[in-house]
Amino acid sequence: MLEISAEVWQAARLTLALAATTTVILLIVGTPLAWWLARSKAWWTEAVATVVALPLVLPPTVLGFYLLVALGPNGPGGWIAGAWGGRTLAFTFSGLVIGSVLYALPFVVQPIRNAFMAIGDRPLEVAATLRATPRRAFWTVAVPLARPGFLTGAVLGFAHTVGEFGLVLMIGGSIPGRTRVLSVAIYDFVEASRWYEANILAAGMVIFAFVVILAMTMIEKRSARLRP
Amino acid sequence: MTTSTAGAPGCIAVAFRGDVGQFHLDAAFTVPAAGLTAIFGPSGCGKTTVVRCIAGLQQLPGSFCAIDDEVWQDAAQFRPPHRRSIGYVFQEASLFPHLSVRRNLLYGAPRAPLAAGREVIGFDEVVSLLGLGALLERAPHNLSGGERQRVAIGRALLSQPRLLLMDEPLSALDQSARAEILPFLEKLHERLALPAFYISHDIAEIEQLADHLVLMERGKVIATGPLHELQSDPTLPLALAREAAVSLDADVEAYDSADALVTLRVGDSRLLVPAKPKVAGARQRLRIAASDVSLARIAPNGTSILNILPARIVSCSTIGPGERLVVVGLGTEGNGPRLLSRITHRSWDTLALAEGMAIFAQVKGVSLIAGSTAPG
């Protein structure tokens, strides 16, 4: 039987906690943002969409660098941290969550936005002519019809957070139990020539990625069958 | 035309003005808040825009819309669509794909009791009226086009509207699905005292269903009035069309089962038409085409035509190189319902016909709408 050290488990638990927290926050923040991007007719909509999409192109270290500055003791992050007696958000779990949310935002917002746009105006107009308030139309028509977009967005957001390295290293460092996630742990193990642990983690990530992509494809196929 | 700031009781008054895409819409009309008002005109003349404006799905500033005594839009207010008591049937059924037929039907059903005095359209009544009983637990994508449109109509009705809006509900359907739905629309019309607008560019649907008519052309309303009045107005395109006809609502007076003939009374005139048995006192809509009516100065005898009615020439207009359209009023004084007759210039001259002259209208064909079509 494989022997898995406590360090590996610790990193895995931390990674899952980070990815789960990030995904929940992403859905809460990303849904209204995606809705607005899908429905707004303002000329600057695409400018906002571009800002949201920036992490797709930027090296994670660039985003990490700016976040480090912003979250550090002299940035707004330090100021916020001061509210509950901390000195900085950098090298904390909260700091990692903020960074991960920003980094994975496009992976969540874009599928949801596309799903909202694919619905078109008609179902919402029908709901309005059936006395549904805009709020009720959103919850009972737009969200259920955009469900495949939500699933894709959530899976992508979760997976990208699990896999992120550069950004995490920049703003989190590698503090065991606090900021040392799987991808950083692999790097540390390799540095320390602990190939066995690195191997277990790397193989685990390959299996994880395989399962995620397979699951997503199946979900999409299934929901395509349910559409008329 | 009303552009006043208050709604008129018993009326639907609208005035929509503004640039819509390619053309300028300037549509104002007042129609009774009862019966079915058809909006008729060529494709792209603004019919759909008018109905979308009534529903509040489109907003043209500076417009006016009032149903009965309720103002939905004027200079000071614009009521959003979800606060207007309308039922909207779109061209494509647009059912919610994630809900069953039953949940689609109930989506707009009010959760609070209606204001006193308003008649409730019951779920069971709608289900039986539209024949939806077997479909209730099905998913929309398992329905045929005709079934989907029936569910959409039922869903609109169950939102308990004060006004039903139908935007070419049959145009996306094939011939057999249309034939399946039209009788439902007719039943609806008979059973529910619900005012409705019905957009169509198919005159046959209008002859069958409409009580009132709004004629549109390139964004403008060119005439508004009772269907029969506009059909028999020789200044309007309807009467001048090749397939011009009038629709008349007749009372069934008697049925002769030996000869299978029904006696129908229109104004003071009587028509004999072969038909399946009818109950005396029932209402029957009929259609008489201009090409099926010929004129005679003296009552002809020795003819196979059963319906020879005294009438008076009201007007005559030229409609082509060799033909005229004559409008006649039934009755010896000519003040009964009007018929159209298409005759040649030569006949007009040979018979020395003139406006105001008493003549006989020979009606060769009468179509009973919502029943069999048969020669008379």
Side-chain angles (χ1 to χ4, degrees), chain A residues 122 125 128 131-132 136 140, chain B residues 52 82 86 92 98 107 159:
Chain A
R122 184 48 55 81
E125 287 185 352
R131 276 9 131 246
R136 178 165 181 243
T140 60
Chain B
R52 286 178 62 82
H82 66 271
I86 45 155
E92 338 73 54
H98 59 299
Y107 186 87
S159 72

Side-chain angles (χ1 to χ4, degrees), chain A residues 58-72:
Chain A
L58 284 179
T61 41
V62 172
L63 192 62
F65 169 72
Y66 282 123
L67 275 171
L68 191 59
V69 174
L71 298 178

Side-chain angles (χ1 to χ4, degrees), chain B residues 138-156:
Chain B
R138 306 251 298 265
H141 64 268
N142 290 328
L143 305 182
S144 72
E147 289 170 336
R148 269 183 228 173
Q149 200 54 288
R150 263 151 54 198
V151 176
I153 294 168
R155 181 175 66 175

Side-chain angles (χ1 to χ4, degrees), chain B:
Chain B
M1 312 227 159
T2 303
T3 48
S4 63
T5 48
C11 282
I12 297 167
V14 307
F16 297 117
R17 298 193 176 89
D19 289 312
V20 191
Q22 313 252 333
F23 59 87
H24 182 75
L25 184 75
D26 185 358
F29 54 84
T30 301
V31 294
L36 190 138
T37 301
I39 303 180
F40 180 69
S43 295
C45 70
K47 305 183 293 280
T48 296
T49 309
V50 166
V51 169
R52 286 178 62 82
C53 286
I54 295 175
L57 295 174
Q58 204 160 332
Q59 184 173 4
L60 293 178
S63 296
F64 177 81
C65 175
I67 310 303
D68 232 347
D69 46 2
E70 245 179 58
V71 177
W72 285 354
Q73 181 181 5
D74 61 15
Q77 59 182 318
F78 177 82
R79 205 186 265 221
H82 66 271
R83 293 191 45 237
R84 302 185 182 203
S85 322
I86 45 155
Y88 201 126
V89 181
F90 292 84
Q91 210 162 329
E92 338 73 54
S94 310
L95 298 182
F96 297 127
H98 59 299
L99 300 179
S100 66
V101 167
R102 180 191 297 275
R103 290 182 62 204
N104 262 287
L105 286 170
L106 290 171
Y107 186 87
R111 282 167 282 187
L114 292 180
R118 280 192 56 197
E119 208 185 328
V120 178
I121 306 170
F123 183 79
D124 296 335
E125 190 186 358
V126 165
V127 167
S128 76
L129 189 69
L130 293 165
L132 302 175
L135 309 177
L136 288 175
E137 307 312 326
R138 306 251 298 265
H141 64 268
N142 290 328
L143 305 182
S144 72
E147 289 170 336
R148 269 183 228 173
Q149 200 54 288
R150 263 151 54 198
V151 176
I153 294 168
R155 181 175 66 175
L157 291 175
L158 285 171
S159 72
Q160 311 297 338
R162 292 182 61 179
L163 174 64
L164 187 62
L165 304 169
M166 291 182 276
D167 183 357
E168 307 211 29
L170 306 184
S171 68
L173 303 176
D174 59 34
Q175 203 52 50
S176 67
R178 268 178 212 223
E180 164 197 329
I181 295 207
L182 262 173
F184 287 114
L185 289 177
E186 245 164 42
K187 265 199 279 177
L188 214 78
H189 185 27
E190 280 165 29
R191 290 258 293 275
L192 305 172
L194 178 64
F197 280 100
Y198 187 96
I199 293 186
S200 183
H201 63 255
D202 179 356
I203 190 68
E205 284 172 18
I206 285 173
E207 285 166 349
Q208 183 160 355
L209 296 169
D211 301 306
H212 301 273
L213 188 57
V214 174
L215 276 179
M216 287 189 67
E217 225 175 71
R218 268 174 271 117
K220 306 241 179 320
V221 171
I222 54 174
T224 307
L227 173 67
H228 174 253
E229 236 170 65
L230 300 199
Q231 282 175 322
S232 58
D233 183 338
T235 64
L236 295 174
L238 281 185
L240 304 178
R242 192 110 276 279
E243 62 285 6
V246 290
S247 302
L248 297 168
D249 287 315
D251 294 309
V252 174
E253 229 175 37
Y255 185 73
D256 177 349
S257 50
D259 290 339
L261 281 177
V262 63
T263 308
L264 298 166
R265 191 169 55 77
V266 185
D268 292 325
S269 307
R270 282 174 181 75
L271 290 159
L272 283 171
V273 186
K276 295 195 190 109
K278 303 269 176 202
V279 191
R283 297 283 285 170
Q284 173 67 54
R285 175 162 285 201
L286 26 113
R287 173 184 186 271
I288 301 177
S291 51
D292 282 340
V293 178
S294 58
L295 305 179
R297 289 198 59 174
I298 46 169
N301 48 39
T303 167
S304 67
I305 293 176
L306 281 177
N307 297 304
I308 296 167
L309 310 166
R312 216 169 256 277
I313 294 177
V314 176
S315 73
C316 169
S317 13
T318 301
I319 51 168
E323 287 187 310
R324 284 166 187 246
L325 180 84
V326 183
V327 179
V328 302
L330 291 178
T332 44
E333 293 311 309
N335 46 16
R338 293 183 170 183
L339 298 184
L340 301 177
S341 167
R342 190 157 51 232
I343 62 170
T344 57
H345 284 315
R346 180 167 299 171
S347 307
W348 177 268
D349 294 337
T350 313
L351 294 177
L353 297 175
E355 286 178 9
M357 182 181 276
I359 43 91
F360 291 90
Q362 315 180 85
V363 181
K364 195 154 64 81
V366 177
S367 310
L368 299 186
I369 284 176
S372 54
T373 306

